[in-house]
Each structure stands twice: as structure tokens, then as C-alpha cells.
Amino acid sequence: MLAAEHVRGEAAVRELQHLLLAWELMGEGRRGVFTEALWRYLTFYREHMRLEETMVLPAAQAYLDDDDWAAVDAAFATNVNPLAHGRPRDPAYDRLFTRIVMRVKSPLGQG
């Protein structure tokens, strides 16, 4: 279930990229479609994170031992997530993140 949600989330992010580009290139007429897709994604993402935080992580804490956690740590040490702490970030992501935060209305952004 979670793996399928991760795949669905990646597809949704790609869709958002395309819709954002359409808005940028074609103007305000595309804003509503992007905004609707963004809210759908945010709803999906919040629910996904709630599931991970309330079910998956507590189960992992209950069942994984020190060796298991060492393996998890080693796997995450190779993570190339551009938002992960301690990793060099592509400035394009910083600009995009800033742009999104400045446009999205509170409580998610500052627009």
C-alpha cells in the first residue's frame, strides 16, 4: 500500500511540474487547474504522512533492533533527496521552493 502511494505521489509531483509550467507559459488561465491539483496532492501527502507517522514508524520502533536501525541509517546515508540535511542542494530547488512559498497562501506559504 505505501509503495503504491509513493509511486502515486511521484506521478502527482510530475503532474504538478507540468501544470506549473503550463501556468508559467500560458498565464493566469492555467492557475486554477494547478491550484486544484496542488490541493489534491497536499491532501494526499498529509494523509500519507499521517499513516507513516501513526502506524509505520511506531511499528518499526517496536520491532526493529539496533542492527536493523544501523542498516536503515546506512541506506539513508546514500539518500540523494535534495532537501535532506547535510547534502549539497541544487540551487534550482532552492529557487523553486522560495517561489512556491512566496505564492502559496498561509498557512502553507506566505502569499
Side-chain angles (χ1 to χ4, degrees):
M1 177 177 159
L2 287 176
E5 285 188 1
H6 287 165
V7 170
R8 187 173 141 218
E10 289 174 18
V13 168
R14 281 192 302 278
E15 178 190 13
L16 285 171
Q17 289 172 326
H18 294 142
L19 293 172
L20 180 58
L21 181 61
W23 177 16
E24 289 177 327
L25 296 177
M26 300 171 85
E28 281 299 306
R30 297 295 180 129
R31 179 184 186 144
V33 175
F34 172 79
T35 302
E36 288 175 20
L38 178 60
W39 284 111
R40 276 193 312 273
Y41 175 75
L42 291 173
T43 300
F44 156 79
Y45 188 76
R46 279 189 223 137
E47 178 58 24
H48 177 80
M49 292 304 297
R50 186 197 63 75
L51 181 64
E52 287 186 342
E53 290 171 357
T54 62
M55 297 184 75
V56 175
L57 292 176
Q61 290 171 331
Y63 295 104
L64 298 180
D65 62 22
D66 290 342
D67 290 338
D68 295 324
W69 285 113
V72 169
D73 288 342
F76 274 95
T78 63
N79 193 340
V80 293
N81 179 348
L83 300 178
H85 292 291
R87 298 275 180 217
R89 293 193 321 241
D90 182 332
Y93 288 110
D94 290 335
R95 289 190 302 274
L96 177 59
F97 180 76
T98 299
R99 203 163 163 203
I100 291 169
V101 168
M102 296 309 290
R103 288 182 182 228
V104 172
K105 293 196 181 340
S106 180
L108 299 174
Q110 297 181 2

